[in-house]
Amino acid sequence: MNSHTQTRLRILRAAFMLGAGSTLLVTAVPAAAQDAPAEPATQGEEDAIVVTGIRETIQNSINTKREETAIVDALSADDIGDLPALSVGQAIQTITGATTHREKGDASEIALRGLGPFLSNATFNGRDATNGSGDRSVNFNQFPSELVNNIKIYKTQQASLVEGGVAGTIEIGTLRPLDFGKRRLQGEVKAQYNPYGDRVTGSGGGVGWRGTLSYVDQFANDTIGISLGFQRNDTNNPEETYAASTTWTACRADINVSNGNCTELTRPYGSDTPYYLVPNSYVFRQISETDKRDSAFGAIQWRPSDQLNINLDVQYSDRTYVESRRDLTLSEARRSLTNVEYGENGIIRHLEGQSALESNGSELSRSEEYLGGGLSIEWTPNDRLTLTVDGSYSRTIRKEIERNFRLRTDPLDVNGDRTVFNNMRIPYTYDLAPGAFVPTITIDPRFDLNNHDLFWDDARFRRDESKRRNEIIAGRFDAAYEMDGFFSKISAGGRWSELTYRDYDLRNGDTSPLIPNEEDRRINNMCRQAFPQTDFLSAANGNDIHSWATFDVDCLFREYLGTEDPGLPDELRSPASRDVSERTLAGYVMAEYESDLGNMPVRGNFGVRVVKTDVTSNGLRSDLALVPDPSGDGSFTLTPTGDFETVTIKSRSTRILPSINAIFEVAPSTLVRLAGYRAMSRPAPSALGAGRTITLADGESFTSIEDAIGNIRANGSPGLKPLMSWNADAAIEWYPNKDSLLSATVYYKQFSGGFQPVIYDEDFVINGETVTIPVAQTRNSPDKSRIYGLELTAATRFSFLPQPLDGLGAKVSYNYANSNFKNQDINLGDQYDPETDTVSPGLIPAAGLSGYSKHVLSAQAYYELGPVSLQAIYNYRSKYYQDFVGGNSQLRYVGPSETVDFRASLDLMPGVSLRFEALNLFNEPKATYMPVYGSSRQYHYYGAKYFIGLRARI
């Protein structure tokens, strides 16, 4: 499908969903006339109707938005398991202004108002939650939506939130059994089918399942309540990708190099020097995957008297997925480049080159375990005073093991026969059509990609293991005193928390066994594997590569190394490891007020938070040694000698965060809200590391000392301070009836300080000789920037229509944001020199805020009549910059994304329903670009997913 066809389809889909929204807006007044007044409705036919399903969820969300003091959007269900989504991430992206970053076809990290997860704060039952990614966002895929019953997004801040975030705060909540107030036993089983899985051999045909069981009850005259929930998820998520490496170089276009790498354009950049951007390598990857997750949620609530309420809740999730990857790699993308054609910002349109080809394979397993919970004690000694103490714990451990091999081309095949090529490098052409996701890479037709005989030389084996441990221990105390008069309540409290983040990334490998040629021939024949998929990248217009020779990973490891898993290396210490501790002490005071301004009711709150943070980051340093490659090709690698010393870097910051919220009830159904506040967003824990990365990310050997020392990088910047902003919001909201909402919000944020690469000279000892090397880090820049935006929401049920059309309803939300924030490329962007206090101009344009999208649209249409419930959801997000976890990396952009999901349920009998869900109905892929937008870096395709299941509750 070409880009023009895709654009037409995108317009048609959006027009369909926006058509529903237009009808919604036009019919809001008739709907109001039909159902008003909805407030205060204490009797009448509408109140006699028991509302359930999607309509109930939207009603609850509208009511929550109306009652909250801050500007809030929510999604809540009175009953457990009623959130209309398969995952918490999918549920959140239906909330106004919220959108998601997709991984493996599912919603993962959330962006609010077009701003990335870095600028948001996420909590679980009011407490900070850990994740395994190294940042502060919550991995919403870890939590099944069936065990969550409410989600709130605070768009503005109030002092009681203590910390909050620049973009907002996402609060995920589970039910309290006594507050739920009824017995509920519920079970649900869903079968998954992924049509794409039928193209993958040995994957179970794209079939999986998930089962959920929950139980809520009350005992001892309703003084003790329990809730338990369990889920097993066993699915598969096959994927196919094209990717370029994460390191890109600006090559001089005025110097032709017919043999060897292109000539890099170095600083200071001349404005007249032509250049083009190329990566180190290109990779075609086929992925087969299995994904298993076990989750258990539980709570015990004890209310021995009206004055005391004790709640203990625990959440546990253990997820493991295993990927089998088969790669075709052009490992020398900078070599022998001729007939180069390029466009604006150095984006390659056509080139001809030569590269060694590699058949690579890997087996990757990732396990992620989450354990969280807390104990909350609420004491009300009298009618006015409430004291609350809360202690919490959250821990995530993510472990990843990858075993991979490399088999290269050679002038001879594995049988010793000479090929048609004089060396190991194969000619190819690269073409990127305007608007295309995937470039067309055409290998010289004389080379048969599916001939196993041609992949055998320079066998190399690696075992990589990484582990991330993120832990938060926290305590909180709050006191609230009810008052009469203008001030209705005074609240104060404090919070203490200690976050620790530790990781390592260890390699046991670069093993290149030297064995007789007959052994190479025997192993090559023994470990051959049929290509594990049909129609590889068939959805990518113009792709010429649909299969290649692949090999069995376990077989190659066993035959070459004598073991399928060589385990960890002897030395477990590494200069790249991170060890970060962050201690936070915060306090707040907040006053809530309520009065009349003439005949107009006014309410709100104001207060101040003070947040003090101490960061301690430990890193290892070691002398380095150049180690010759075992293959004897004259290259070498850079490794630590093993003599380590610890470097400790400390940082401290104190921030004062005032806030004010005001609500004016200008009419019985119309509210005007104003808010002003100062907010902060902390750097990711992994971005505070004090280590140094001394191995190439793409695994190439160095051919000179200059190349080796040029690739030592800081893997974090411990001195980074929180990003601060002053914020103002104004909203008008109209609530004509329980089902309807029309709101508009404008907001403005002024940031103090962006992020800028900075170069520090550091001394390293290499082969006994001290060498001074420039090391790039990131600092808080003195720049000021801003963002402003508009957020619109409209929702209604078309109750004025005749039956059966009165079961129709719709909700549309749209967010527009405009920002001049700048993030510079670590290599090719502006760089600050602390010695001269000058900025060296960069070569490529800066990116905006990480996760910043100018346009975000979500539209829902639903129909409920008797036992039938139908819902269609459309989500669109414009392009955005997404940084790599840990920072200090080159710029990466994600292209526009849109998805259409569909859900349906049919009540078969009281308490029993048949349910169907479809995700990504139109097979929308994901495309990323580096280091400028339009320069193709990666294409992901994973297809649609279908679920059908049966739910029973008593």
Side-chain angles (χ1 to χ4, degrees):
M1 185 183 299
N2 60 41
S3 60
H4 298 292
T5 304
Q6 291 169 338
T7 301
R8 287 196 297 270
L9 281 175
R10 176 174 291 157
I11 292 172
L12 288 173
R13 295 172 200 158
F16 170 76
M17 301 305 291
L18 285 174
S22 300
T23 305
L24 179 154
L25 294 171
V26 171
T27 58
V29 173
Q34 175 76 13
D35 289 339
E39 159 184 49
T42 58
Q43 58 183 4
E45 181 180 355
E46 181 72 10
D47 295 307
I49 297 175
V50 178
V51 180
T52 60
I54 299 168
R55 182 185 174 193
E56 176 199 37
T57 300
I58 292 179
Q59 277 191 2
N60 290 340
S61 303
I62 291 173
N63 186 61
T64 299
K65 181 178 181 67
R66 183 172 190 168
E67 295 300 321
E68 287 283 346
T69 302
I71 296 177
V72 171
D73 283 287
L75 185 67
S76 63
D78 289 338
D79 217 334
I80 190 169
D82 274 357
L83 287 186
L86 279 167
S87 71
V88 172
Q90 292 173 28
I92 291 175
Q93 69 178 350
T94 66
I95 299 176
T96 300
T99 188
T100 182
H101 174 74
R102 289 188 296 155
E103 290 293 345
K104 296 185 175 294
D106 201 357
S108 57
E109 297 178 345
I110 300 297
L112 302 181
R113 288 178 166 177
L115 304 179
F118 156 62
L119 293 175
S120 302
N121 175 245
T123 60
F124 200 98
N125 286 335
R127 307 160 183 140
D128 287 343
T130 56
N131 77 5
S133 300
D135 55 20
R136 297 181 191 272
S137 60
V138 172
N139 182 2
F140 296 104
N141 278 333
Q142 288 291 106
F143 305 121
S145 62
E146 292 91 340
L147 302 180
V148 170
N149 73 319
N150 69 81
I151 302 166
K152 288 183 182 179
I153 298 179
Y154 290 86
K155 305 295 183 59
T156 63
Q157 299 301 302
Q158 57 188 31
S160 59
L161 295 176
V162 181
E163 188 158 318
V166 169
T169 296
I170 303 171
E171 166 63 29
I172 305 170
T174 56
L175 62 80
R176 291 188 171 187
L178 290 181
D179 298 340
F180 185 65
K182 55 187 173 183
R183 176 182 297 171
R184 172 71 75 218
L185 177 63
Q186 178 172 296
E188 184 172 6
V189 177
K190 294 177 182 176
Q192 174 204 323
Y193 174 61
N194 185 344
Y196 175 73
D198 285 337
R199 295 162 48 194
V200 179
T201 60
S203 68
V207 176
W209 70 281
R210 62 193 285 164
T212 310
L213 180 66
S214 61
Y215 173 65
V216 185
D217 209 344
Q218 300 80 35
F219 307 93
N221 296 321
D222 291 338
T223 60
I224 298 176
I226 64 168
S227 66
L228 299 171
F230 306 93
Q231 185 179 90
R232 159 62 67 92
N233 188 77
D234 191 345
T235 59
N236 55 76
N237 302 290
E239 185 177 350
E240 55 188 10
T241 73
Y242 154 80
S245 65
T246 58
T247 301
W248 288 67
T249 300
C251 293
R252 295 185 58 165
D254 58 339
I255 299 178
N256 294 318
V257 180
S258 59
N259 188 20
N261 286 337
C262 63
T263 302
E264 182 177 356
L265 179 60
T266 57
R267 293 178 188 271
Y269 298 128
S271 59
D272 298 328
T273 305
Y275 69 92
Y276 53 89
L277 299 169
V278 292
N280 286 346
S281 61
Y282 304 111
V283 180
F284 293 85
R285 172 171 290 173
Q286 185 278 332
I287 302 175
S288 306
E289 189 219 66
T290 60
D291 190 339
K292 295 182 180 180
R293 183 188 63 198
D294 292 314
S295 300
F297 285 19
I300 300 175
Q301 187 177 3
W302 181 35
R303 191 181 294 150
S305 68
D306 292 340
Q307 288 76 38
L308 192 61
N309 191 356
I310 301 172
N311 192 81
L312 173 67
D313 61 277
V314 178
Q315 303 85 39
Y316 177 80
S317 176
D318 186 9
R319 182 185 182 191
T320 300
Y321 71 77
V322 178
E323 288 185 352
S324 296
R325 300 175 173 181
R326 300 298 178 263
D327 298 350
L328 174 68
T329 303
L330 285 73
S331 59
E332 299 171 297
R334 295 165 53 196
R335 188 178 182 87
S336 303
L337 304 182
T338 59
N339 298 323
V340 180
E341 299 173 12
Y342 57 95
E344 186 180 6
N345 292 327
I347 299 174
I348 294 292
R349 297 302 177 196
H350 171 85
L351 61 76
E352 298 168 16
Q354 294 184 24
S355 172
L357 300 185
E358 300 174 1
S359 177
N360 299 333
S362 62
E363 295 290 328
L364 179 145
S365 65
R366 174 189 289 178
S367 62
E368 184 164 335
E369 180 186 67
Y370 175 85
L371 175 63
L375 175 66
S376 176
I377 302 174
E378 183 180 292
W379 181 41
T380 308
N382 56 54
D383 293 340
R384 293 183 179 270
L385 180 62
T386 301
L387 304 176
T388 306
V389 177
D390 184 275
S392 64
Y393 178 77
S394 179
R395 185 204 68 198
T396 298
I397 300 174
R398 175 187 288 184
K399 185 176 180 180
E400 188 171 286
I401 299 174
E402 180 178 4
R403 297 174 297 117
N404 66 78
F405 72 84
R406 175 193 71 189
L407 296 177
R408 270 183 175 168
T409 51
D410 188 83
L412 304 178
D413 67 17
V414 73
N415 300 308
D417 298 327
R418 180 163 293 279
T419 68
V420 296
F421 304 100
N422 293 324
N423 57 46
M424 61 184 288
R425 298 179 175 91
I426 312 301
Y428 69 93
T429 60
Y430 174 106
D431 290 283
L432 181 64
F437 287 142
V438 180
T440 300
I441 295 180
T442 304
I443 307 298
D444 190 310
R446 294 174 296 170
F447 185 88
D448 183 2
L449 287 174
N450 293 291
N451 186 350
H452 292 79
D453 288 347
L454 301 178
F455 298 93
W456 68 278
D457 198 19
D458 292 341
R460 185 194 64 199
F461 297 88
R462 288 175 172 168
R463 185 201 189 267
D464 292 312
E465 179 174 318
S466 64
K467 185 176 182 179
R468 295 170 179 167
R469 180 187 176 96
N470 189 4
E471 185 176 55
I472 298 175
I473 302 173
R476 176 167 176 163
F477 171 77
D478 295 89
Y481 187 77
E482 304 280 350
M483 303 177 66
D484 298 322
F486 177 75
F487 291 111
S488 58
K489 182 189 291 187
I490 300 292
S491 302
R495 190 195 68 176
W496 169 88
S497 70
E498 182 157 352
L499 176 150
T500 56
Y501 176 83
R502 296 181 177 91
D503 69 13
Y504 65 72
D505 195 342
L506 300 172
R507 171 166 291 171
N508 185 5
D510 287 337
T511 305
S512 301
L514 299 177
I515 60 175
N517 287 345
E518 57 269 19
E519 275 297 285
D520 277 319
R521 188 179 309 118
R522 180 187 68 83
I523 296 173
N524 184 284
N525 281 274
M526 175 184 292
C527 299
R528 294 181 181 186
Q529 183 185 67
F531 190 74
Q533 180 185 326
T534 60
D535 300 326
F536 175 80
L537 280 186
S538 57
N541 185 46
N543 176 56
D544 281 347
I545 297 176
H546 298 291
S547 64
W548 57 88
T550 59
F551 298 83
D552 182 88
V553 176
D554 291 339
C555 179
L556 287 175
F557 265 79
R558 185 173 58 249
E559 295 303 316
Y560 272 104
L561 303 183
T563 177
E564 293 182 1
D565 187 352
L568 285 167
D570 294 334
E571 177 57 74
L572 301 183
R573 295 171 297 173
S574 168
S577 298
R578 298 177 178 92
D579 182 357
V580 178
S581 297
E582 178 184 83
R583 181 170 295 178
T584 302
L585 185 63
Y588 77 94
V589 177
M590 185 177 76
E592 299 182 36
Y593 60 89
E594 189 171 350
S595 186
D596 293 315
L597 189 62
N599 294 324
M600 180 173 60
V602 179
R603 61 185 173 91
N605 61 49
F606 61 89
V608 64
R609 299 162 283 175
V610 179
V611 183
K612 178 177 176 291
T613 306
D614 290 283
V615 174
T616 302
S617 184
N618 297 315
L620 295 175
R621 298 291 186 270
S622 172
D623 293 352
L624 306 174
L626 296 175
V627 180
D629 191 278
S631 65
D633 61 2
S635 62
F636 48 85
T637 56
L638 192 65
T639 61
T641 61
D643 297 325
F644 292 96
E645 63 175 332
T646 301
V647 174
T648 299
I649 303 175
K650 296 184 177 183
S651 176
R652 172 175 291 182
S653 64
T654 301
R655 298 292 184 262
I656 300 175
L657 310 175
S659 63
I660 183 170
N661 290 274
I663 303 171
F664 302 88
E665 189 175 328
V666 297
S669 59
T670 305
L671 302 179
V672 171
R673 298 179 188 263
L674 299 176
Y677 53 98
R678 193 183 190 208
M680 60 181 281
S681 290
R682 302 175 184 273
S686 61
L688 300 172
R692 296 294 179 263
T693 301
I694 60 172
T695 55
L696 282 179
D698 55 17
E700 293 182 355
S701 296
F702 301 109
T703 55
S704 70
I705 294 178
E706 289 75 16
D707 286 341
I709 63 177
N711 282 282
I712 298 177
R713 289 186 180 180
N715 69 356
S717 303
L720 280 179
K721 298 295 191 295
L723 181 67
M724 306 302 300
S725 71
W726 287 100
N727 312 266
D729 291 65
I732 182 168
E733 301 165 0
W734 181 40
Y735 301 89
N737 57 63
K738 288 184 177 182
D739 293 294
S740 302
L741 164 68
L742 189 63
S743 71
T745 304
V746 293
Y747 56 90
Y748 179 85
K749 301 177 183 294
Q750 184 182 66
F751 299 99
S752 299
F755 299 110
Q756 185 179 64
V758 56
I759 303 299
Y760 293 100
D761 287 337
E762 295 186 6
D763 290 337
F764 292 83
V765 177
I766 301 177
N767 279 9
E769 180 181 349
T770 300
V771 181
T772 301
I773 303 171
V775 177
Q777 299 186 38
T778 301
R779 71 159 189 161
N780 296 93
S781 75
D783 300 335
K784 291 187 180 297
S785 55
R786 53 90 186 132
I787 184 169
Y788 61 82
L790 169 66
E791 192 173 69
L792 301 173
T793 303
T796 196
R797 182 178 66 93
F798 303 115
S799 56
F800 61 90
L801 294 176
Q803 293 183 349
L805 298 180
D806 59 343
L808 284 169
K811 177 185 176 184
V812 177
S813 62
Y814 168 74
N815 184 85
Y816 168 80
N818 185 292
S819 175
N820 63 356
F821 192 96
K822 291 184 179 180
N823 260 306
Q824 299 288 343
D825 187 276
I826 195 73
N827 288 342
L828 304 174
D830 293 354
Q831 286 186 348
Y832 173 73
D833 188 331
E835 291 189 2
T836 61
D837 194 27
T838 59
V839 175
S840 169
L843 192 66
I844 65 175
L849 282 162
S850 180
Y852 159 64
S853 291
K854 182 171 285 189
H855 304 282
V856 173
L857 171 67
S858 175
Q860 304 174 52
Y862 70 89
Y863 178 75
E864 291 187 327
L865 180 67
V868 177
S869 176
L870 307 173
Q871 183 186 31
I873 300 175
Y874 171 84
N875 286 289
Y876 172 78
R877 181 182 188 182
S878 61
K879 68 177 184 178
Y880 56 98
Y881 157 63
Q882 186 198 21
D883 59 352
F884 289 91
V885 174
N888 292 344
S889 301
Q890 293 195 258
L891 301 181
R892 171 178 58 173
Y893 299 86
V894 181
S897 67
E898 63 172 350
T899 57
V900 176
D901 301 334
F902 177 75
R903 301 182 179 98
S905 67
L906 173 65
D907 292 336
L908 302 177
M909 62 181 69
V912 180
S913 60
L914 180 68
R915 309 170 77 83
F916 173 79
E917 296 170 87
L919 305 181
N920 194 21
L921 272 174
F922 293 95
N923 299 323
E924 182 75 5
K926 186 179 82 171
T928 65
Y929 305 89
M930 281 188 74
V932 295
Y933 189 76
S935 178
S936 180
R937 189 254 164 175
Q938 193 164 20
Y939 169 94
H940 304 256
Y941 179 82
Y942 24 68
K945 297 178 184 178
Y946 301 94
F947 297 82
I948 187 168
L950 195 67
R951 187 178 77 178
R953 58 169 46 160
I954 56 176

